[in-house]
Structures are given as C-alpha cells and as structure tokens.
Amino acid sequence: MPNADPRVALPVGERQYHIGLGPGELADYILLPGDPDRTARIAARFDSIELERRNREFASATGTYRGQRVSVLSTGIGTDNVEIAVAEILAIVERPTFIRVGSCGALQPYIEPGDLIISSGAVRLETTTSFFVHDGYPAVADYEATIALVEAAFRLGHRAHVGITATAPGFYAAQGRPIPQLPIRYPDLAEELARQRVLNFEMEASALLILAGLARCRAGVVCAVYAQRVAGTFLTGEAKERAEAACVETGLEALSVLAEIDRQKSAAGVDRWRPSIWQTA
C-alpha cells in the first residue's frame, strides 16, 4: 500500500528505502558501528549468520551470538545518518535495543589510546536532534544499557571510563581541529569541553540517545579511543585493530547482558531492572 502521509517520499512496500531491510530481518538487539566495513568484522564473531545486506553506507547482518538473535547495522558518519538508520529501524522493529560501537578522541589526559569510553550522556553540539527536541533537552544513555556496557568491559578485562561525551557535527572545525587553509571559529573548543569534564569527542552518540529515548527504546554507547587529543597521539595499525576489537566484543557482550537482564525482568514480573534482581537470580 502507498504510504498514507504524502510528506514521506518512500517506495511502495515495507522494505526501508536506505537500509534496504524489511520486517523480521533485524533482531531486537542491534549493534550500530559507523564504518560499514566494520559490519563484516562484527558478523564474523556471530555463531551463525542468516542475512547480510548492504545499501549505500548501511551494511547489515543478522544472526545469533551465544544463542541470542542479534543484528549489526552500520550508520555511516554523522548524526544525520544516524537519524536515517534509527527512523527506518523503528519502522520495522517494535522495541529495539541499540548499542553504538564507535571510535573517538579522548579529551582527558588520564585516558589512554586503546581505552574504552562508555557514554552516560552527550553534549549536543550537532543540530540534527534540534528538529526533534528543545535545545536544552538532554541526551542521556539508558541506565540498563550503561550498566550492561560497564559489566561487559569488566568481564572482558578492558579498561573503560564512564562519563559525558561531546557529539560534534564534523571532524575538523567542529572538534576544534585547525585547518591551515580555513579559519575556524572555536579553536579552543576541545580545551573548553575538557574543563567541563567531558571525556571525548565523537560524531553520532547524541542522535542515537535522543531518538532512542523518544521512541522508549534502550540505547548505549561505547567507543574505542583512537586519538588522544591532549597528547596529540593517534592509534594506527595493530594497536587500532586491537582497540576496535575490544570495543566490538564489549558491545556484543553488553547485548548478552541485556538479554539476560530482560529474562530476569520477565521472571520477576517487573519492567525495570534493579541490582537485587541480578543478585537473587
């Protein structure tokens, strides 16, 4: 049937225009990397794969991991792409759980390259979310997703930090990086945010957290530190690959933790998880 709202210019049918997926092709538990090439590396960790697809920057795979049906879908770079991905996922999955697995630049001197940063919330430097909410509306991670990521990093032995992330609408001027050929308005942006105890810069978290929260879905964010902005260092080669692997396996482990949390909530007959449920399970 044609879409009932003429403002939504989508083709006839249920398959979504950008992600190329229809109902039933994504699991309820979804990893969201930015890089489409990362999707295949994540899917290689699945126990089995039932579907793989790619359209534009949106590469996806669905399968099982430790007996739980899971999916991975790349968003590409930026909050505008996250808006597309999340909107189309919500059209075909009733109540998805999202974990973003990405990369970032650290703003605090004690955070080392290769560490993980789990976002408790995000500074909305981008404008995509302003088309959904008031400019003072906070981008906050779901507490169950945050707990699951902290537990996952601990289980796997990965050094992780928890705190506020800044989501920028670009990589260079929007993160205070100088560009020799161009003027930038806020050359001290990184230092200013660091004074406000912001842990890192990345480019997608706030959109995911806002949109998931509005849809009453869970979302969490974990990023591997590729750049140390204070020291001016950047991971390359095998060190970068190890950091990505740590981030990915933490995201997958967090989905397993969330699935267990859901089973325990169901058994207890409650809709909100609390520590005592886990302790008595």
Side-chain angles (χ1 to χ4, degrees), residues 152-276:
F154 172 76
R155 289 182 183 182
L156 296 166
H158 297 315
R159 180 174 148 108
H161 311 267
V162 182
I164 301 297
T165 288
T167 297
F171 186 78
Y172 293 99
Q175 296 185 33
R177 285 187 169 97
I179 306 172
Q181 302 90 339
L182 299 169
I184 66 171
R185 291 183 64 189
Y186 306 110
D188 300 322
L189 180 59
E191 290 79 7
E192 179 184 344
L193 290 170
R195 287 194 297 271
Q196 297 171 27
R197 304 293 188 264
V198 174
L199 299 190
N200 60 325
F201 263 131
E202 56 80 77
M203 297 174 62
E204 288 84 29
S206 62
L208 174 62
L209 299 181
I210 289 287
L211 298 183
L214 291 175
R216 298 180 178 177
C217 298
R218 294 179 300 194
V221 177
V222 59
C223 289
V225 175
Y226 283 4
Q228 220 308 336
R229 295 291 301 271
V230 180
T233 56
F234 199 88
L235 287 184
T236 59
E238 292 184 2
K240 183 177 178 182
E241 292 173 5
R242 286 194 299 270
E244 179 190 85
C247 184
V248 165
E249 64 184 19
T250 299
L252 283 169
E253 182 70 19
L255 290 185
S256 295
V257 174
L258 285 164
E260 179 59 27
I261 283 175
D262 290 343
R263 287 188 286 270
Q264 293 181 14
K265 288 191 299 185
S266 178
V270 298
D271 60 358
R272 293 185 180 88
W273 183 83
R274 61 184 188 272
S276 60

